[in-house]
Amino acid sequence: MRIIDKPADWPADEAAALAVQDELRGQVVLDEPGPPPGTGLVTGVDVAYDDERDLVAAAAVVLDARTLTVVEEATAVGRVSFPYVPGLLAFREIPTVLAALGALRGEPGLVVCDGYGRAHPRRFGLASHLGVLTGLPVIGVAKNPFTFSYERPAPGRGASTPLVADDEEVGRALRTQEGVKPVFVSAGHRVTLDNACVHTLHLAPRYRIPETTRRADSLCRRALKEATA
DNA sequence: GCGACAG
DNA sequence: ATCTTGTCGC
């Protein structure tokens, strides 16, 4: 498999990355409701790393939002382009994710990624960054609370509690399964937080993690193994 | 200043 | 993220 190139002007260090965040974060759109849940297409993206070989594999899996069946899959393999720095995850993941999304024949519809959007120290996490670069509606669903503290939601599926920063609700701890640790949802771009939560519940009828992320996670691991083999 | 911190 | 087998439970 061919190894994709990151953009020539991709930031090389933290200072450059912070400057890019400052330049792009004003372009986030948060007053559009976004696509209606349960209809159309929804695409999960995720990446897996092999730091030994300096490789990263990304996957994009398109699902029918109504049936949650797979419509299309694409992968891409690249060099690790940035170290893991909390707050700068996007610079590590996005180049290869863009390549995987670009390899799709059809349109992605709503994109769901691992991580945060608006709920970010600088209000510009992975989901927002990906949204601005592609123009697509994007939401972030994370497995951990990152820097946020939260009140435990009621035990029932669908219960949620706000993630607050500077008196703003930047995200939500959302219970997708009864009695199971919540996931952490935030709007990325061109989607409302309310709508992002409804989408997330729709995508997680059986497990804590949305089907989009589950499919993308297993696919990018497979792609990494094949690239490594 | 120190520690914590999505993946 | 990743290192890693079996095992308890529905």
Side-chain angles (χ1 to χ4, degrees):
Chain A
M1 178 179 274
R2 201 175 78 81
I3 294 181
I4 64 107
D5 296 313
K6 63 183 176 184
D9 58 347
W10 200 250
D13 56 42
E14 294 190 26
L18 290 172
V20 170
Q21 286 189 333
D22 274 331
E23 177 194 334
L24 297 181
R25 62 177 166 182
Q27 297 177 35
V28 176
V29 174
L30 292 170
D31 55 7
E32 282 184 30
T39 184
L41 299 174
V42 59
T43 297
V45 295
D46 194 17
V47 303
Y49 300 98
D50 183 335
D51 286 310
E52 290 291 297
R53 304 179 194 241
D54 192 40
L55 290 178
V56 50
V61 180
V62 185
L63 303 184
D64 178 306
R66 189 177 61 82
T67 61
L68 302 186
T69 55
V70 178
V71 170
E72 189 187 358
E73 300 179 329
T75 62
V77 176
R79 297 291 177 194
V80 176
S81 58
F82 207 87
Y84 172 67
V85 179
L88 300 179
L89 180 65
F91 296 90
R92 185 167 165 82
E93 306 213 331
I94 283 186
T96 318
V97 167
L98 286 177
L101 282 173
L104 292 172
R105 309 278 289 172
E107 291 302 307
L110 174 76
V111 176
V112 181
C113 53
D114 246 357
Y116 283 103
R118 178 79 182 161
H120 176 275
R122 309 183 72 231
R123 307 289 175 274
F124 193 68
L126 172 63
S128 298
H129 199 144
L130 185 61
V132 166
L133 293 189
T134 61
L136 297 168
V138 184
I139 69 173
V141 181
K143 299 182 283 297
N144 294 294
F146 196 16
T147 63
F148 299 91
S149 58
Y150 65 101
E151 298 293 312
R152 188 198 302 172
R157 169 177 151 84
S160 72
T161 205
L163 263 35
V164 178
D166 301 321
D167 292 318
E168 179 197 340
E169 183 183 29
V170 295
R172 254 170 231 164
L174 175 67
R175 192 92 66 184
T176 54
Q177 294 298 320
E178 170 104 34
V180 173
K181 174 181 178 174
V183 295
F184 304 88
V185 180
S186 58
H189 183 60
R190 300 182 53 201
V191 185
T192 264
L193 177 57
D194 280 335
N195 209 3
C197 288
V198 176
H199 271 110
T200 301
L201 275 179
H202 235 88
L203 293 167
R206 172 87 173 100
Y207 301 104
R208 176 170 88 112
I209 304 300
E211 287 302 307
T212 36
T213 298
R214 288 167 44 80
R215 299 312 266 253
D217 180 75
S218 68
L219 180 56
C220 69
R221 289 184 200 236
R222 236 182 300 148
L224 184 62
K225 279 196 173 185
E226 289 169 18
T228 296

